[in-house]
């Protein structure tokens, strides 16, 4: 009986001690700071990951837009603030920004159920350093570009060089004109370049091969003109090729949404390039350099522009190279990616383009050779080919039927009117 009593007491003591120890451990676990637990469920880990992503996104938005960014549709972005602050100064210089940037701007959709993006003043420019404006004394639409001299010290110098005689009057000069260079008040580092209002060179789409050939002629001759004047563009990729489309549209187009009229009262009608041949331009001389004419083979360390595929830049970033063959690659790659890879019927350009984009820069033709070879290729194309429609590779059967019918209607009209198969821009 005594042994039973002793055994019972011993079991009770062990159970009591175990409970006390369990409670003590439980209290320690509960008292641990949040996030210090050594064992977490998948749900807890997922929640922490989501929270960290939110914090990271908030930090990024703070860096990009600042603490007072308004996220409402159509609201002014942080990039537009500079333009709003300089509205009155620009007006005093003879340039009027759109109503969106006026100090007393009230959104036209405010107090209505209209969609901001259905209103003219609901759209901001895609790039913060570029803005459109109206030149007050003659009503011409222009583009304004902010640049920092500390980052791009040669851009204004090179642009103004091509605006001086005899270069500015040369028919093969396809460098974007600099109408004026302004210096914003109380800012020694910034300059403001005034240029024509331009559109991307492939919008609206090309109708015929002849239109494309005229575009290539201007671009090839324009880059050769730069090279002959000892200037390498060093970033002549597709985004830096634009066109003056003011005559291509029946009415002024909106600078942000070109398919719309400037006042957003409806869609704007445009002509084909056969009817109104535009002039094409190279823009953005931020990476461009002018070299000593006595230096036959200038060398520059690689600097990446918009096209990151330059073969000589891939593994030899510390080896200086001749920038002129790199320009040849850039322009050849524009033709390859924007036309040969996305549209049908451009195989006749393959030998020339393949040579322009060779991996070995020393094996590429000079722009002088490119122009000569292109002229020979152009002369071998029949009128039928040149008047043929440019067809997208991803075009479906219904698009083909509709576009072919409307194209043939235009084509017959052009033949009757004896419009040239290659519509040449007249200076």
């Amino acid at each position: 009986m005594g042994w039973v009593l002793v055994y019972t007491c011993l079991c009770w003591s062990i159970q009591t001690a175990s409970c006390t120890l369990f409670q003590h451990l439980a209290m320690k676990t509960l008292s641990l700071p949040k996030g210090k637990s050594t064992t977490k469920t998948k749900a807890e880990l997922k929640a922490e990951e989501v929270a960290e992503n939110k914090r990271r996104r908030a930090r990024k938005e703070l860096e990009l837009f600042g603490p007072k960014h308004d996220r409402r549709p159509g609201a002014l972005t942080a990039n537009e603030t500079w333009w709003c602050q300089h509205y009155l100064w620009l007006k005093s210089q003879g340039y009027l920004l759109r109503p969106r940037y006026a100090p007393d701007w009230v959104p036209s959709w405010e107090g209505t159920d209209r969609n901001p993006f259905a209103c003219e003043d609901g759209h901001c420019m895609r790039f913060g350093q570029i803005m459109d404006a109206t030149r007050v004394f003659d009503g011409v639409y222009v583009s304004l570009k902010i640049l920092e001299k500390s980052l791009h010290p040669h851009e204004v110098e090179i642009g103004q060089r091509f605006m001086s005689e005899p270069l500015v009057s040369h028919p093969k000069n396809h460098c974007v004109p600099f109408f004026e260079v302004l210096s914003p008040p109380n800012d020694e580092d910034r300059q403001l370049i005034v240029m024509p209002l331009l559109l991307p060179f492939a919008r609206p789409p090309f109708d015929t091969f002849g239109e494309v050939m005229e575009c290539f002629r201007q671009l090839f001759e324009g880059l050769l003109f730069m090279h002959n004047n000892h200037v390498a563009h060093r970033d002549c990729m597709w985004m830096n090729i634009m066109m003056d489309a003011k005559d291509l549209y029946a009415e002024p187009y909106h600078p942000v949404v070109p398919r719309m009229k400037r006042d957003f009262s409806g869609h704007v009608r445009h002509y084909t390039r056969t009817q109104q041949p535009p002039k094409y331009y190279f823009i953005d001389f931020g990476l461009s350099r002018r070299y000593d004419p006595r230096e036959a083979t200038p060398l520059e360390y690689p600097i990446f522009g918009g096209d990151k595929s330059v073969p000589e830049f891939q593994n030899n970033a510390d080896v200086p190279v001749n920038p002129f063959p790199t320009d040849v690659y850039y322009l050849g790659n524009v033709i390859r990616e924007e036309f040969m890879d996305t549209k049908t019927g451009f195989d006749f350009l393959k030998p020339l383009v393949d040579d322009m984009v060779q991996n070995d820069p020393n094996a590429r033709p000079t722009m002088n050779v490119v122009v000569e070879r292109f002229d020979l290729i152009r002369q071998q194309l029949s009128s039928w080919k040149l008047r043929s429609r440019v067809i997208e590779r991803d075009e479906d059967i219904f698009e083909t039927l509709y576009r072919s019918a409307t194209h043939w209607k235009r084509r017959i009209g052009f033949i009757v009117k004896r419009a040239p198969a290659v519509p040449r821009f007249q200076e």
Side-chain angles (χ1 to χ4, degrees), residues 310-368:
V310 180
E312 55 266 35
F313 291 0
Q314 302 308 312
N315 301 313
N316 301 305
D318 297 327
V319 178
V321 296
N322 186 344
F324 291 101
T326 304
D327 273 1
V328 175
Y329 174 87
Y330 279 135
L331 193 49
N333 203 38
V334 169
I335 297 173
R336 176 170 62 178
E337 293 185 344
E338 299 298 316
F339 294 89
M340 300 181 68
D341 290 350
T342 61
K343 299 168 179 61
T344 63
F346 284 93
D347 293 342
F348 60 89
L349 285 172
K350 191 174 187 307
L352 175 58
V353 173
D354 283 350
D355 284 348
M356 293 176 70
V357 298
Q358 289 184 79
N359 287 339
D360 181 4
N362 296 318
R364 295 171 197 153
T366 63
M367 281 310 302
N368 188 60

Side-chain angles (χ1 to χ4, degrees), residues 2-51:
W3 286 102
V4 174
L5 182 60
V6 171
Y7 177 75
T8 302
C9 291
L10 182 61
C11 290
W12 181 84
S13 299
I14 293 173
Q15 183 178 2
T16 301
S18 299
C19 290
T20 303
L21 178 62
F22 176 78
Q23 291 173 352
H24 176 72
L25 291 173
M27 291 299 293
K28 288 285 288 181
T29 301
L30 291 173
S31 64
L32 282 173
K34 185 178 180 181
K36 296 294 185 180
S37 176
T38 56
T39 57
K40 298 178 181 178
T41 65
K42 290 183 178 180
E44 289 173 331
L45 292 172
K46 183 65 176 177
E48 288 185 4
E49 181 182 354
V50 170

